[in-house]
């Protein structure tokens, strides 16, 4: 079944309007207008799918009329009928998107009919696209609200529960109740980790890259101080060597994500039986790049496993992990055009090397 196509034809000659209506009234719903003001009134009250106009009109040319309708109704395809050749005007109108197609007069019925059908398909495609964009905007707004709830509303009760457990620890009662306090502490820490990883993944994927000067020494030591509050790091020695002879400019938000996830991974992959747990951190900056090496003497991994660790939800030797940390790291590096490589050996440890370009336009 042929869809009903609403076509508006504007021409200052009534004979042309009558001829058009007689030729196409059984194929489309035809609207006609002898002047631009009448045409604009029809456009206001009717859903027009294809707009056709003569070029030579006394009040205004067809191209000038189309410029007006393009601003008000940008998604309606416009077909120009012209009885004379004005290549410069037509070329400018086509290049600026003012017209979808032009046809010389007297028109050929088949050519004009095919042009209307093609223009209608163009209209439908644009309309479908706008509807998809609207759906995506709604979904995006919903996702924003969801992440806001995660980062604020859900974080608040987690913080309250953590505060209560801190009081229990201060009073030395964490071992009471048959170990239930410890179990609750572990569950809350895991929930907090899952929430933070989800929010971090969202921000990494969506936030724009912002360049600024980065002080690696300060950044690394602040992250280590943060990790030092956890019992997981009490037996780990951190060895830090930072050479910042050259100022480095990059995306601080994502650089912090990269280093934080590498440190977190190195801490979690320590071997319980290792008496001298250590993590080595080496950072060097140059005119071209920052080179970051983080090595541990932890559990390490096989070569096959090393190829999968950057995949989403791959847990490897960390069954309690969400499996997003190194995936988020790789996503952050891609935004900065950085790369990461890993060299690991089971039972010996792992070394991660990250290279991030120094942003040239931001340097002194």
């Amino acid at each position: 079944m042929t869809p009903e196509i609403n076509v508006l034809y504007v021409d200052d000659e009534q004979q042309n309007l009558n001829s058009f209506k007689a030729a196409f009234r059984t194929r489309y719903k035809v609207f006609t207008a002898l002047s631009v003001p009448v045409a604009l009134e029809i456009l206001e009250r009717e859903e027009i799918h294809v707009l056709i106009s003569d070029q030579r009109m006394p009040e205004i040319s067809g191209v000038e009329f189309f410029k007006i309708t393009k601003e008000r109704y940008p998604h309606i395809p416009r077909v120009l009928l012209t009885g004379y050749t004005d290549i410069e005007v037509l070329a400018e109108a086509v290049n600026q998107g003012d017209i979808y197609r032009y046809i010389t007069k007297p028109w050929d019925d088949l050519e004009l009919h095919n042009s209307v059908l093609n223009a209608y398909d163009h209209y439908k495609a644009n309309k479908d696209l706008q509807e998809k964009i609207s759906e995506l905007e709604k979904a995006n707004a919903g996702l924003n609200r969801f992440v806001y709830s995660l980062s604020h509303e859900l974080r608040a009760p987690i913080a309250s529960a953590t505060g209560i457990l801190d009081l229990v620890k201060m009073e030395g009662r964490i071992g009471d109740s048959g170990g239930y306090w410890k179990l609750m502490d572990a569950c809350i820490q895991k929930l907090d980790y899952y929430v933070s990883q989800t929010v971090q993944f969202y921000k990494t994927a969506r936030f724009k890259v912002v360049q600024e000067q980065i002080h690696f020494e300060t950044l690394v030591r602040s992250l280590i101080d943060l990790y030092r509050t956890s019992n997981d790091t009490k037996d780990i020695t951190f060895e830090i060597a930072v050479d910042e002879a050259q100022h480095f400019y990059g995306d601080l938000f994502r650089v912090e994500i990269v280093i934080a996830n590498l440190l977190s991974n190195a801490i979690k992959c320590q071997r319980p039986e290792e008496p001298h747990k250590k993590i080595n951190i080496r950072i060097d900056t140059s005119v071209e790049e920052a080179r970051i090496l983080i090595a541990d003497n932890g559990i390490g991994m096989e070569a096959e496993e090393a190829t999968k660790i950057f995949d989403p939800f791959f847990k490897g030797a960390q069954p309690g992990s969400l499996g997003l940390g190194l995936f988020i790291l790789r996503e952050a590096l891609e935004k900065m055009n950085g790369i990461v490589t890993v060299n690991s050996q089971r039972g010996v440890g792992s070394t991660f090397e990250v290279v991030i370009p120094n942003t040239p336009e931001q340097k002194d």
Side-chain angles (χ1 to χ4, degrees), residues 236 266 269-271 274-280 295-300 347-350:
I236 301 176
C269 290
Q270 290 293 323
R271 287 177 291 145
E274 171 60 49
H276 304 295
K277 301 180 180 69
K278 64 178 180 179
I279 296 175
N280 296 321
D296 63 72
N297 60 343
I299 58 178
V348 177
S350 302

Side-chain angles (χ1 to χ4, degrees), residues 154-167 188:
L154 189 56
R155 268 285 174 69
I158 291 176
S160 298
T162 301
I164 294 172
L165 283 167
D166 287 341
L167 291 175
I188 290 175

